[in-house]
């Protein structure tokens, strides 16, 4: 559907990633879920989720080849091609190259309910970075992405710094991409990227949430000192903070009982203050000034609209005070004010 046939969505606050000039809305759309993460998602449902994000004012969209073996990029690109390109920011990732595979079956072992048509091959070489980006642009059907992130180089640290990062820096200097960085589920190596390279931003998933704040030790202070930006993914810790019930996931697996009990107690406290746990979880990262955006993964239009509603809720100071009083939030952890960031 063309954007001029639909009403404009409500404005969301936006911030610039470091000194790159690339702006992201404070609430971003993570496109792993629409690629069948954990359970299958139909084409129409995925398209409706992206349209709902646009209508909610979201203008930052994140994807990766890893998500659904390229399905996320294909679906996101198909939905965004109808939108004015200058009005949205798009990020994808490099480090995994997709190689055709005819062994059949599904990609369940990697967490996606899609046919296993390809294999993921780790490749943090300079050629691998360039090939991955070219393949991503083909799947997206777009002429450019704005931000490219090295994806999960945990076991490839030396090559990532020695080969992959310089390749990204060259692409940025050539104007092929506007901003570069890294995205991981840990904070240690991301802090090294901030200290040892000229990245514009990093994406930290699951390590700065209402449940855990490991990124506060080094990553976030380093980003603030360097004038760089941090994008927060996994703000619901794989869904636990969205719905802390038995069987909920935490860090991509079943939540341990002690972690589940902690999340349930958090929900009791926030709801006693009239605030859904989802709203507190979404707003929490903005207590730190280095945080530019929070990504929310949604598989349906309903989930997108709920995320936008929770994002705009006012979270009174009494919520944070009550969490601190029950030793569920440390005294030195920064918290946001009442206003939307």
């Amino acid at each position: 559907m063309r954007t001029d046939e639909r009403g404009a969505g409500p404005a969301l606050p936006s911030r610039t990633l470091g000194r790159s000039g690339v702006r992201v809305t404070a609430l971003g759309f993570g496109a792993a879920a629409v690629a069948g993460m954990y359970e299958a998602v139909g084409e129409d449902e995925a398209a409706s989720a992206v349209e709902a994000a646009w209508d909610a004012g979201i203008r930052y969209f994140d994807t990766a080849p890893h998500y659904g073996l390229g399905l996320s990029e294909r679906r996101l690109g198909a939905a965004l091609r109808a939108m004015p390109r200058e009005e949205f920011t798009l990020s994808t990732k490099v480090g995994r190259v997709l190689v055709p595979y005819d062994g059949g079956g599904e990609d369940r072992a990697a967490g996606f309910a899609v046919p296993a048509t390809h294999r993921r091959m780790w490749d943090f070489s300079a050629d691998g970075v360039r090939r991955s980006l070219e393949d991503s642009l083909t799947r997206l059907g777009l002429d450019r992405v704005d931000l490219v992130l090295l994806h999960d180089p945990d076991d490839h640290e030396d090559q990532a710094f020695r080969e992959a990062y310089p390749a990204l820096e060259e692409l940025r200097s050539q104007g092929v991409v506007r901003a570069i960085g890294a995205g991981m589920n840990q904070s240690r190596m991301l802090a090294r990227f901030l200290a040892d390279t000229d990245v514009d931003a990093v994406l930290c998933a699951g390590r700065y949430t209402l449940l855990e704040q490991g990124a506060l030790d080094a990553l976030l202070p380093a980003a603030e000192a360097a004038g760089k930006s941090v994008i927060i993914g996994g703000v619901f810790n794989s869904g636990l903070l969205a719905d802390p019930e038995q069987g909920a996931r935490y860090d991509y697996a079943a939540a341990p009982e002690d972690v589940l009990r902690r999340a349930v107690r958090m929900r009791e406290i926030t709801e006693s203050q009239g605030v859904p746990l989802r709203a507190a979880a979404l707003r929490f990262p903005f207590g730190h000034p280095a945080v530019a955006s929070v990504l929310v993964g949604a598989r349906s239009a309903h989930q997108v609209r709920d995320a936008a509603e929770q994002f705009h809720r006012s979270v009174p100071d009494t919520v944070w005070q009550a969490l601190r009083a029950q030793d569920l939030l440390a005294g030195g952890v920064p918290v946001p004010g009442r206003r939307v960031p």
Side-chain angles (χ1 to χ4, degrees):
M1 184 179 293
R2 293 175 54 84
T3 54
D4 56 8
E5 296 172 348
R6 305 190 1 225
L12 280 168
S14 64
R15 295 180 179 180
T16 301
L17 296 178
R19 294 180 290 274
S20 69
V22 174
R23 294 192 70 80
V24 294
T25 45
L27 183 62
F29 182 88
V34 294
M37 189 173 189
Y38 302 132
E39 59 185 79
V41 176
E43 293 283 347
D44 291 344
E45 187 177 19
S48 295
V50 180
E51 288 186 3
W54 188 273
D55 291 343
I58 293 173
R59 296 294 182 268
Y60 172 41
F61 300 85
D62 175 73
T63 183
H66 169 58
Y67 303 154
L69 293 169
L71 182 61
S72 172
E73 290 181 320
R74 291 193 297 272
R75 286 181 166 177
L76 188 60
L80 291 178
R81 282 197 293 275
M83 311 306 183
R85 182 61 186 90
E86 68 279 4
E87 291 187 15
F88 65 87
T89 294
L90 176 64
S91 60
T92 193
K93 307 179 184 74
V94 295
R96 292 175 174 92
V97 175
L98 302 182
V99 178
Y101 170 67
D102 59 4
E106 283 199 321
D107 191 44
R108 295 280 185 174
F112 292 91
V114 298
T117 57
H118 291 73
R119 290 183 185 270
R120 300 168 179 84
M121 302 293 291
W122 291 106
D123 193 342
F124 287 95
S125 68
D127 286 344
V129 165
R130 289 187 285 267
R131 175 186 169 190
S132 180
L133 180 56
E134 289 172 1
D135 290 347
S136 289
L137 289 172
T138 298
R139 286 187 291 267
L140 286 161
L142 297 169
D143 61 352
R144 70 182 189 279
V145 296
D146 304 287
L147 167 65
V148 178
L149 303 164
L150 301 179
H151 199 185
D152 296 337
D154 303 67
D155 298 325
H156 309 269
E157 186 167 0
D158 179 67
Q159 189 179 36
F161 280 89
R162 180 169 40 86
E163 298 184 47
Y165 170 75
L168 285 187
E169 196 172 57
E170 182 178 4
L171 289 169
R172 184 179 60 184
S173 69
Q174 294 171 345
V176 176
V177 299
R178 299 171 61 201
I180 59 175
M184 305 181 72
N185 295 293
Q186 58 147 291
S187 59
R188 181 199 64 81
M189 199 185 302
L190 292 179
R192 182 187 169 192
F193 274 108
L194 291 169
D196 295 351
T197 74
D198 189 31
V199 294
D200 301 290
V202 294
L203 194 169
C204 182
R207 305 287 80 86
Y208 194 63
T209 72
L210 202 54
L211 269 176
E212 55 179 291
Q213 298 90 43
L216 194 58
D217 294 339
L219 174 61
L220 288 165
E224 184 179 14
K228 305 298 177 65
S229 299
V230 178
I231 300 161
I232 299 297
V235 71
F236 294 138
N237 283 114
S238 297
L240 181 60
L241 289 179
D243 187 17
E245 300 291 345
Q246 198 69 38
R249 291 185 180 90
Y250 166 77
D251 213 14
Y252 307 105
E257 284 297 324
D258 60 329
V259 178
L260 176 60
R261 287 194 297 270
R262 184 179 181 88
V264 168
R265 184 66 182 130
M266 285 181 164
R267 181 178 62 185
E268 292 171 350
I269 290 173
T270 65
E271 289 184 350
S272 73
Q273 301 288 324
V275 176
L277 180 59
R278 302 187 307 286
L282 274 172
R283 294 292 302 281
F284 166 76
F286 293 103
H288 199 285
V291 173
S293 181
V294 165
L295 288 169
V296 174
R299 65 180 61 250
S300 69
H302 169 75
Q303 289 184 351
V304 171
R305 287 190 286 266
D306 179 73
E309 178 184 350
Q310 303 310 322
F311 178 84
H312 285 292
R313 280 182 180 268
S314 175
V315 180
D317 294 341
T318 53
V319 169
W320 316 118
Q321 293 167 4
L323 290 169
R324 293 195 201 280
Q326 295 296 318
D327 294 325
L328 294 171
L329 190 64
V333 174
V335 295
R338 297 188 182 201
R339 294 177 59 82
V340 172

